[in-house]
Amino acid sequence: MKIIMLGAPGAGKGTQAGILSWKLGIPTISTGNILRAAVKAGTPVGLQAKSYMDGGKLVPDDVIIGILAEALAGPDCAKGYILDGVPRTIPQAEAMEEQGLDVDVVLDLEVPDEVIVARMSGRRVCPACGATYHIQNAPPKTEGVCDGCGAKLIVRADDAPETVLDRLHTYHEQTEPLLAFYEARGKLRTVNNQPSIEAITAEIYRTLEI
């Protein structure tokens, strides 16, 4: 099964992609991971990407799709894959189609903006050991202190409410149009927000009939 995960930042795409990857026995492919792997391996497209990254520039769509094509041609993707973070725009989706990178289903995790802001702004991270907490859903035993190493917890810059709102604006402007793009192709499946990770997983399984 070839799946694209869509949804706003903080909708839970990474979490659910990981669960689906285990359930279906197929890899999750994220833009960041394949970019880093291609640069490290020194592939022709990876070297192209490195030249942009070293110059502090955004990697162009055609280079990203070239790296994606390299990754999906690997033996680990023979039975399918889950794409998380790509495509981000309609031009990327069109470039994927031109490269013959087809998908079976596009899962849209629908979560209201206000829920995402509360979810992400409540996240706390340990700068020492990397442990993650949430002030409501998974609080530390002592407020503001890591259970594991005792370090003072911080709010990541990405999780500050104003940053989250900026990221949501970018998503609505650039990525959300993909919903209509894939709906027109009969591939879009919407998964509405549920009260827990487990409930969202169950809804995804029901949607995919697995």
Side-chain angles (χ1 to χ4, degrees), residues 185-204:
R185 285 152 175 76
K187 295 182 177 181
L188 186 70
R189 304 289 182 272
T190 300
V191 177
N192 290 312
N193 191 38
Q194 303 294 324
S196 68
I197 289 172
E198 293 78 14
I200 294 171
T201 301
E203 184 66 11
I204 287 173

Side-chain angles (χ1 to χ4, degrees), residues 132-196:
T132 302
Y133 301 88
H134 192 281
I135 56 176
Q136 292 179 330
N137 302 334
K141 292 172 185 172
T142 303
E143 186 178 345
V145 178
C146 178
D147 293 349
C149 67
K152 185 178 179 181
L153 301 177
I154 60 168
V155 178
R156 291 189 326 174
D158 274 2
D159 293 337
E162 59 274 17
T163 307
V164 174
L165 288 171
D166 282 345
R167 293 172 68 195
L168 284 170
H169 175 75
T170 300
Y171 168 77
H172 291 310
E173 190 175 70
Q174 296 183 7
T175 306
E176 203 168 50
L178 284 169
L179 302 183
F181 179 89
Y182 284 115
E183 186 172 29
R185 285 152 175 76
K187 295 182 177 181
L188 186 70
R189 304 289 182 272
T190 300
V191 177
N192 290 312
N193 191 38
Q194 303 294 324
S196 68

Side-chain angles (χ1 to χ4, degrees), residues 105-158:
V105 63
V106 177
L107 282 177
D108 168 39
L109 303 188
E110 277 292 322
V111 182
D113 285 3
E114 59 271 21
V115 173
I116 285 175
V117 173
R119 183 184 290 175
M120 295 180 75
S121 61
R123 190 157 52 186
R124 299 292 182 270
V125 178
C126 176
C129 71
T132 302
Y133 301 88
H134 192 281
I135 56 176
Q136 292 179 330
N137 302 334
K141 292 172 185 172
T142 303
E143 186 178 345
V145 178
C146 178
D147 293 349
C149 67
K152 185 178 179 181
L153 301 177
I154 60 168
V155 178
R156 291 189 326 174
D158 274 2

